[in-house]
Amino acid sequence: MSELRPSDIHHPAESELFDETLSCDVALPAEFRLGSSVIRPGSAETLLRSVALVEDSRGDDGHDDRGESSAQLQRLEAKLDLTMVLLGRLVRQSAQDLDLRPLRWSRRGIRLELGARTGAPAGSLGVIRLQPCDWLPDHIDLPVTVLAEAATGAGSCFLWLRFAPMSDGLEMALERHLFRLHRRQVADSRRRGL
């Protein structure tokens, strides 16, 4: 059976969330919960800004000509990365893991691929919980409205979720994160020669 590509999906909700805006197709630990829940104000923005600081400080160009101080900084970053991996393993052992799910993400919302239908009618409120990066075992919760749900024909379903209005700061942090994900996707495609 061939894999369903984003370009093969034709649904009005797809256009509403992804037309004429930057979007990324990624697999991330994520889940959808129907109903409203208490969300820590500012936590998603804070986490996305912190991820941006760490990832932007690492640099993506792979070369640096600052000499010995750069080598020391790289060693310190490597130690911090190892510490984060170990801490992440401890957190995962004591916390609920989110399942890795294919999703498409834009500043407007998310299309989430699930193993089974949720039965959530259009207009229902819910929360999307996802881990924005693989190296940090923390998640963000974003309030959403269900736009649509449809079976894929492969035993799973797609759920289209529109983000609730968000603060300017969170919207900027989200757009910046999506831009980094997109840039990484393009670089990976080039490396693989696709």
Side-chain angles (χ1 to χ4, degrees):
M1 179 183 299
S2 64
E3 184 178 310
L4 192 62
R5 294 174 299 170
S7 59
D8 298 333
I9 300 169
H10 304 288
H11 193 282
E14 191 78 9
S15 297
E16 188 174 335
L17 294 178
F18 307 114
D19 279 0
E20 298 181 21
T21 190
L22 179 71
S23 65
C24 299
D25 294 291
V26 293
L28 293 173
E31 71 178 5
F32 168 73
R33 291 186 179 173
L34 192 57
S36 58
S37 69
V38 177
I39 295 176
R40 300 171 288 173
S43 63
E45 180 181 346
T46 301
L47 182 65
L48 290 174
R49 286 181 184 272
S50 298
V51 166
L53 285 172
V54 170
E55 290 185 349
D56 290 350
S57 70
R58 289 179 179 176
D60 292 329
D61 55 1
H63 68 279
D64 196 1
D65 47 357
R66 288 179 284 197
E68 182 60 31
S69 65
S70 175
Q72 289 176 345
L73 182 61
Q74 288 174 351
R75 284 192 293 274
L76 183 61
E77 285 178 352
K79 289 177 184 178
L80 184 58
D81 286 345
L82 288 172
T83 303
M84 292 301 296
V85 168
L86 292 173
L87 182 61
R89 287 183 185 153
L90 287 173
V91 169
R92 277 189 218 108
Q93 288 173 359
S94 64
Q96 261 187 340
D97 277 341
L98 300 175
D99 291 333
L100 189 66
R101 300 201 181 279
L103 56 91
R104 188 170 193 197
W105 191 0
S106 80
R107 64 179 182 82
R108 295 180 194 144
I110 287 181
R111 181 195 66 228
L112 185 63
E113 188 172 342
L114 299 171
R117 293 184 70 115
T118 65
S124 300
L125 299 179
V127 174
I128 181 76
R129 171 174 284 177
L130 58 93
Q131 183 180 323
C133 57
D134 57 1
W135 56 267
L136 183 63
D138 200 0
H139 65 271
I140 58 175
D141 292 327
L142 299 169
V144 292
T145 301
V146 175
L147 291 180
E149 184 175 35
T152 64
S156 60
C157 75
F158 288 125
L159 187 62
W160 287 270
L161 306 166
R162 175 178 277 291
F163 294 134
M166 53 182 77
S167 69
D168 291 343
L170 177 54
E171 192 167 344
M172 286 176 53
L174 181 63
E175 287 178 1
R176 186 175 178 189
H177 186 72
L178 289 170
F179 179 76
R180 276 193 321 281
L181 286 175
H182 179 72
R183 187 176 64 199
R184 197 172 301 134
Q185 263 187 326
V186 170
D188 287 347
S189 293
R190 286 183 180 153
R191 268 185 244 132
R192 290 191 310 253
L194 299 175

